């Protein structure tokens, strides 16, 4: 058996070998980052693309995200105020998941220029069930126990459908597209979630509370969801969810209540649903069946003999 003194010396040497110099974020131009996630590159491109420019950009081309032997970031390409939010809290010489999401939570809203009040969005795009410019659908799903009323501009849907074939049978929305979800208690809006498409192909996520003020997470049950971290996890993942997963069939109830899309029977069109396979593909990180339902309504109008020539041309272009 080794003498106690030798054991102590070896232990001290091992601990010393594990020590790292503190990261000097104000001067370092390469800081390793390891999120421990399967889709790490996609996540890093999403997040850091939002720090490149107001419209989003490629963080690798900009030099902010470094991909060589693993992943790293160059803090010098962040504004000083953003850089100060980077912390190597556990002193291991790299940015891990907990440290990363702490940075995102502290800086994302400012970096993305998200309005502090939802009225700023409303002033530019006033969504309403009374508006002919917006498509809307109500849904009970896994995100919240509240009923959700989701809005997408008709013009955004039509542009995505017109580009479907050219995009390789994918639904891709134009930059600037808004998708708005009101969480409801009857007619009362409890909170609003909003996503806005960036020019780099990703989406900004925001939550506005009962008073219309920007907040960090949802408040309706069954659990709070942080924006953007938990939004991104679902929208960039591959898991499917009900009621969209089962559509056009009805979905069974979940542990927190019904899972249902509240649409008329003539919109439960199996052919249209299979044509787009919208929820499973999530070509643009969108989980809802908005293009599917919009197209199904056009087909129903055609069957009823009330379809406009413009809409007929759109359907023909889709091969429907």
């Amino acid at each position: 058996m080794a003498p106690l003194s030798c054991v102590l010396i070896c232990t001290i040497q091992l601990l010393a070998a594990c020590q790292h110099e503190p990261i000097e974020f104000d001067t370092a131009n390469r800081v390793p980052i390891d999120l421990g996630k399967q889709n790490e590159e996609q996540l890093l491109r999403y997040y850091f693309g939002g720090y490149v420019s107001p419209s989003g950009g490629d963080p690798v081309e900009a030099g902010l995200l470094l991909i060589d032997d693993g992943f790293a970031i160059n803090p010098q390409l962040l504004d000083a105020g953003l850089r100060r939010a980077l912390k190597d809290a556990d002193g291991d010489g790299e940015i891990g998941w907990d440290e990363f999401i702490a940075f995102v939570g502290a800086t994302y809203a400012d970096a993305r220029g998200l309005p502090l009040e939802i009225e700023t969005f409303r002033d530019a795009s006033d969504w309403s069930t009374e508006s002919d410019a917006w498509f809307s659908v109500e849904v009970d799903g896994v995100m919240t126990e509240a009923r959700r009323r989701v809005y997408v501009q008709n013009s955004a849907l039509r542009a995505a459908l017109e580009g479907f074939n050219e995009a390789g049978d994918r639904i891709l929305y134009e930059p600037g597209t808004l998708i708005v979800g009101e969480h409801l208690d009857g007619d009362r809006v409890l909170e609003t979630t909003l996503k806005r498409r960036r020019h780099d192909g990703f989406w900004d996520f925001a939550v506005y509370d009962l008073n219309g003020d920007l907040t960090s997470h949802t408040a309706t049950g069954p659990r709070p969801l942080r924006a953007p971290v938990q939004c991104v996890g679902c929208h960039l993942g591959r898991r499917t969810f009900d009621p969209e997963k089962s559509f056009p069939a009805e979905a069974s109830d979940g542990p927190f209540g019904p899972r249902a899309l509240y649409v008329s029977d003539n919109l439960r069109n199996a052919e249209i649903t299979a044509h787009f396979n919208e929820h499973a593909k999530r070509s643009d990180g969108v989980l809802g069946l908005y293009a599917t339902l919009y197209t199904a309504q056009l087909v129903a109008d055609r069957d009823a003999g009330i379809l406009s020539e413009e809409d007929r041309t759109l359907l023909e272009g889709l091969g429907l």
Side-chain angles (χ1 to χ4, degrees), residues 3-320:
L4 180 60
S5 59
C6 291
V7 174
L8 289 174
I9 290 171
C10 290
T11 302
I12 291 170
Q13 289 175 338
L14 180 61
L15 290 172
C18 294
Q19 296 298 313
H20 295 271
E21 292 293 326
I23 299 174
E24 298 293 341
F25 289 104
D26 285 337
T27 56
N29 56 23
R30 188 184 189 283
V31 175
I33 185 166
D34 184 359
L35 304 185
K37 303 295 181 181
Q38 290 184 337
N39 56 342
E40 188 155 345
E41 182 174 342
Q42 185 184 35
L43 286 173
L44 289 170
R45 284 181 177 274
Y46 164 74
Y47 283 111
F48 286 122
Y51 291 82
V52 168
S53 74
S55 60
D58 187 330
V60 176
E61 288 185 3
L64 177 59
L65 175 61
L66 309 173
I67 302 177
D68 38 47
D69 183 17
F71 301 100
I73 59 169
N74 181 356
Q76 304 316 307
L77 296 184
L78 293 171
D79 290 341
L82 300 177
R83 191 165 58 243
R84 282 193 290 271
L86 277 171
K87 307 289 183 185
D88 179 18
D90 59 9
D92 67 351
E94 67 180 14
I95 300 299
W97 175 247
D98 289 341
E99 295 156 334
F100 178 71
I101 62 174
F103 165 75
V104 170
T107 61
Y108 176 81
D110 286 341
R112 299 305 310 136
L114 295 176
L116 296 179
E117 297 178 346
I118 199 169
E119 288 307 314
T120 303
F121 279 114
R122 279 200 174 278
D123 289 344
S125 303
D126 192 11
W127 54 91
S128 167
T129 56
E130 307 302 318
S131 173
D132 292 336
W134 290 83
F135 171 85
S136 67
V137 61
E138 293 192 6
V139 57
D140 278 316
V142 299
M143 177 186 178
T144 172
E145 294 171 348
R147 177 76 58 88
R148 297 177 68 222
R149 183 184 295 131
V150 183
Y151 301 85
V152 190
Q153 284 177 300
N154 291 335
S155 58
L157 284 165
R158 294 185 71 89
L161 291 168
E162 287 167 356
F164 179 72
N165 298 326
E166 186 176 346
D169 293 348
R170 296 184 299 160
I171 297 294
L172 301 179
Y173 290 93
E174 293 182 320
T177 296
L178 290 180
I179 299 180
V180 181
E182 295 178 334
H183 297 192
L184 306 172
D185 178 13
D187 291 330
R188 183 171 178 243
V189 178
L190 302 175
E191 62 188 357
T192 305
T193 58
L194 186 147
K195 58 188 297 186
R196 175 181 61 186
R197 195 177 191 277
R198 302 184 335 209
H199 285 262
D200 62 1
F202 291 111
W203 297 76
D204 289 326
F205 296 90
V207 180
Y208 291 87
D209 65 16
L210 178 67
N211 299 314
D213 296 324
L214 183 67
T215 186
S216 61
H217 58 274
T218 62
T220 52
R223 63 198 178 283
L225 298 173
R226 290 171 296 172
V229 174
Q230 287 172 292
C231 307
V232 174
C234 287
H235 285 273
L236 293 187
R238 303 311 310 167
R239 184 181 174 189
T240 54
F241 303 93
D242 269 329
E244 292 85 1
K245 178 181 177 180
S246 296
F247 194 85
E250 300 280 359
S252 58
D253 289 351
F256 304 106
R259 295 178 180 176
L261 277 160
Y262 297 98
V263 298
S264 58
D265 288 343
N266 63 353
L267 298 192
R268 294 184 177 276
N269 187 314
E271 179 188 359
I272 303 299
T273 304
H275 185 79
F276 293 117
N277 196 20
E278 191 173 2
H279 179 68
K281 277 187 178 180
R282 67 189 69 183
S283 303
D284 209 1
V286 176
L287 298 175
L289 300 177
Y290 315 123
T292 299
L293 294 172
Y294 183 87
T295 305
Q297 182 62 65
L298 296 183
V299 171
D301 289 346
R302 182 177 63 189
D303 293 344
I306 58 173
L307 192 69
S308 71
E309 192 59 37
E310 182 183 18
D311 289 339
R312 189 177 301 278
T313 300
L314 178 58
L315 290 180
E316 289 174 355
L318 290 167
L320 297 170

